[in-house]
Amino acid sequence: MPGTVTGARRALADAVRFVRGAGTAEALARVPGAPAGLARHLEFTHAALAVTGDDVRDVVDALAGLGGAVHDPGEAHVVRGRVEGCPRGVEVAVLPGPAADGHRLVFTATTDDDVLLRGVHATLLDAGLRPDGGDHDGDATSLRFRGPTDVELRLPGRRPALLTRHTGPPDRPQRAMLDLMTGAWRTRAVAAVAELGVADLLVDGPRTTADLAARTGALESRLHRLLAFLAALGVFHRDGDRWSLTDVGAMLRRDAEGSQRDLARIYGGLFYHSFTGLEHTVRAGGSAFEHVYGVRPFEHFAANPADARLFEGAMAAGTSFLDLVPRLLDLPERGTVVDVGGGDGRLLGAVLGAGPGLRGIVFDRPHVVAAGRRVLDELGCGDRAEVVAGDFFHDPVPAGADLYLLSRIMHDWADERCAVILRNVRAAMPRGAVLALVERPIREDRPSPLPLAFNVHMMVNTVEGGERTTEQHRDLLAANGLTLEDVRDLPLDMAVLVARATG
Ligand SMILES: C[S@@+](CC[C@H](N)C(=O)[O-])C[C@H]1O[C@@H](n2cnc3c(N)ncnc32)[C@H](O)[C@@H]1O
């Protein structure tokens, strides 16, 4: 095909070959998760693909060369052809710009029953396919889906309701973009009610705006606007002029289990402003925090005790999941656990609590070990725990333990620095010992914006930190004598990555 991109001829040949060999059942089998029973309502009619080119005649010739009989080169840029010796065909759109790779499978509904068609549509979504546009095509409706195999559903008749359900309302892109652009307003609104302490005032039940305004020293009409916005976002229940907490809003209570009040204040305050340096760090590197405030985060905290306390409170909000880690570790009945960079000892305390025959060591920098000692004593396992002051870049890590933990350490450092830590830990590990990383990996098998958001957060608020994909963790471990054996899920997209010393 002169004028077409390399690979277009191959894509066309692949589509023709597939169409020749596959009936409806085989085509459905190519859509992971789609039940075979869909064949009762669908017929695989053709494969559709797009190629880059200037002239449909090139495609007509190519199709003829592959044994296809063109039956409708009618439109300026679409060629429809039947594949010789089979009832199915191919449809080729010839586009001036870049074309998508591969072809999509087109299924035509064999029913026009609206209820059944809604069911077919819902079943394809349940199978994990994502809506990818659709339109009315003459007296038919076409719904496109993206997935491991791209699919198109052709339905008889014009079906505006199903089309809207599939593509969203007509203003969907503008609405979605507006939502993205005003995200900062939500961050600030949540931070403002956290600063005002509204959630604490609602612990004993609903209150009116006037009451809340009087107790927080706010202006009634303005507080009302703020609460109404947050009620629409699910933070408060509204009953006329009375407000109460939802389960989401309750997380802003000072005394809530895992309270997120300080997190709301720091994300809407100190780290809200550091995010104004995002474009700078993307263009020039370095930490956006340092660009905005003129000092690195930990220097800032050292010089500003109030912010340091806020940061500690915010970090505590993110530690409730640590209590769940022990049940994901195959704890031996007896032995020793070393938590490297173990901070205040909370994770080690949880592990020792779950393993009464175990002893443990927190290894962290000298200024942290006092807090570790105190917390381990408070957790009632101080007699089985030691705290050892040291630097995981320079000092030997306590050797000979059965289990090593590195919780939320890797994401603070660049690969080269992580390699130093891992080699140091590896050198301390006897044969058969296990290393468990606690991180928020970016999972390609389970897309979620949270690890990606934290990856950006780390870029803004640390000097060289960032989240890694599971593969990047695997490679980093492998390069330093450790084999990643398992990834075990924790809430909020955190995970325990279990590795063993290689060799
Ligand atoms: C993000 S905190 C994680 C604390 C704890 N592992 C957890 O998950 O809650 C990072 C920890 O690494 C420790 N750390 C930083 N640099 C260190 C170093 N050079 N040697 C030992 N520990 C270090 C810090 O003191 C801090 O406790």
Side-chain angles (χ1 to χ4, degrees):
M1 280 183 269
T4 60
V5 289
T6 322
R9 190 181 284 276
R10 193 168 352 106
L12 188 58
D14 284 349
V16 168
R17 194 175 323 111
F18 183 75
V19 161
R20 203 171 257 141
T24 301
E26 291 79 12
L28 275 174
R30 285 272 297 265
V31 185
L38 281 178
R40 280 202 298 279
H41 310 300
L42 299 178
E43 186 190 349
F44 171 48
T45 46
H46 59 280
L49 72 159
V51 299
T52 302
D54 322 309
D55 194 342
V56 291
R57 275 172 312 189
D58 297 338
V59 175
V60 172
D61 293 347
L63 200 53
L66 291 163
V70 172
H71 64 83
D72 183 10
E75 290 174 46
H77 61 285
V78 177
V79 180
R80 293 192 178 91
R82 175 122 8 90
V83 172
E84 225 164 62
C86 101
R88 292 168 292 277
V90 291
E91 182 178 282
V92 189
V94 184
L95 304 174
D101 285 344
H103 55 264
R104 64 176 181 270
L105 305 183
V106 183
F107 296 90
T108 302
T110 52
T111 173
D112 66 355
D113 182 311
D114 210 47
V115 175
L116 285 177
L117 292 177
R118 278 167 192 266
V120 168
H121 179 252
T123 305
L124 290 176
L125 295 181
D126 285 349
L129 295 179
R130 298 183 307 283
D132 186 36
D135 38 46
H136 284 135
D137 180 7
D139 198 24
T141 304
S142 160
L143 308 177
R144 291 181 290 280
F145 300 82
R146 270 208 180 274
T149 300
D150 293 345
V151 166
E152 183 174 336
L153 206 54
R154 295 252 169 110
L155 313 176
R158 294 172 79 84
R159 298 180 187 269
L162 195 47
L163 186 59
T164 303
R165 176 178 293 202
H166 187 72
T167 57
D171 64 357
R172 191 196 55 80
Q174 294 93 328
R175 192 176 278 275
M177 183 47 75
L178 210 50
D179 258 4
L180 292 174
M181 292 184 299
T182 57
W185 303 355
R186 293 198 288 270
T187 306
R188 283 295 308 142
V190 171
V193 288
E195 290 291 353
L196 289 167
V198 172
D200 293 318
L201 294 170
L202 297 176
V203 172
D204 296 324
R207 288 184 190 273
T208 62
T209 316
D211 186 2
L212 288 171
R215 288 168 191 271
T216 57
L219 299 171
E220 185 181 335
S221 66
R222 294 189 168 236
L223 182 61
H224 187 278
R225 281 199 223 175
L226 177 58
L227 296 177
F229 176 38
L230 288 168
L233 297 177
V235 178
F236 301 109
H237 283 302
R238 178 178 178 176
D239 179 9
D241 189 38
R242 290 166 70 77
W243 311 92
S244 56
L245 287 174
T246 63
D247 57 344
V248 176
M251 297 312 301
L252 295 177
R253 282 169 42 185
R254 212 183 287 259
D255 64 351
E257 170 82 22
S259 167
Q260 292 180 316
R261 177 171 183 258
D262 285 346
L263 212 49
R265 294 168 67 214
I266 204 163
Y267 284 166
L270 193 73
F271 291 157
Y272 181 84
H273 296 292
S274 55
F275 253 88
T276 60
L278 176 58
E279 188 184 331
H280 171 84
T281 185
V282 168
R283 285 184 190 277
S287 142
F289 188 101
E290 191 172 355
H291 178 67
V292 170
Y293 291 105
V295 288
R296 294 182 170 199
F298 288 103
E299 292 162 15
H300 173 88
F301 291 128
N304 295 276
D307 278 350
R309 276 198 303 279
L310 179 62
F311 182 62
E312 280 162 24
M315 290 303 101
T319 55
S320 49
F321 69 88
L322 290 182
D323 295 339
L324 304 174
V325 172
R327 70 180 71 154
L328 299 184
L329 301 169
D330 308 311
L331 293 178
E333 255 179 52
R334 316 218 157 270
T336 307
V337 182
V338 179
D339 191 356
V340 180
D344 66 5
R346 174 147 178 208
L347 174 58
L348 183 68
V351 171
L352 296 185
L358 296 172
R359 302 191 62 78
I361 301 171
V362 168
F363 178 81
D364 207 306
R365 291 157 86 186
H367 70 277
V368 181
V369 295
R373 179 80 272 156
R374 193 186 63 246
V375 170
L376 286 161
D377 287 341
E378 279 168 14
L379 291 174
C381 50
D383 56 331
R384 290 185 285 132
E386 267 181 76
V387 288
V388 173
D391 181 324
F392 50 46
F393 292 116
H394 302 294
D395 300 322
V397 167
D402 305 272
L403 172 63
Y404 287 81
L405 305 171
L406 276 169
S407 168
R408 300 192 292 177
I409 302 295
M410 296 289 101
H411 75 165
D412 284 339
W413 307 101
D415 283 0
E416 313 77 64
R417 306 275 277 163
C418 286
V420 177
I421 302 171
L422 289 174
R423 281 201 296 273
N424 199 355
V425 173
R426 172 72 183 83
M429 291 171 76
R431 179 185 287 270
V434 168
L435 168 66
L437 306 181
V438 180
E439 292 286 332
R440 184 174 268 127
I442 299 168
R443 309 271 300 256
E444 269 125 30
D445 57 330
R446 204 175 312 162
S448 157
L450 206 54
L452 299 170
F454 276 98
N455 199 20
V456 174
H457 170 79
M458 297 300 285
M459 179 165 74
V460 166
N461 290 307
T462 69
V463 179
E464 53 180 8
E467 309 299 345
R468 293 180 172 80
T469 63
T470 313
E471 280 316 308
Q472 286 169 329
H473 279 295
R474 189 190 303 280
D475 292 348
L476 191 55
L477 287 162
N480 295 287
L482 294 142
T483 305
L484 178 62
E485 291 189 341
D486 203 6
V487 179
R488 300 173 186 169
D489 295 343
L490 283 166
L492 297 175
D493 296 335
M494 297 289 299
V496 178
L497 295 97
V498 180
R500 209 176 283 275
T502 311

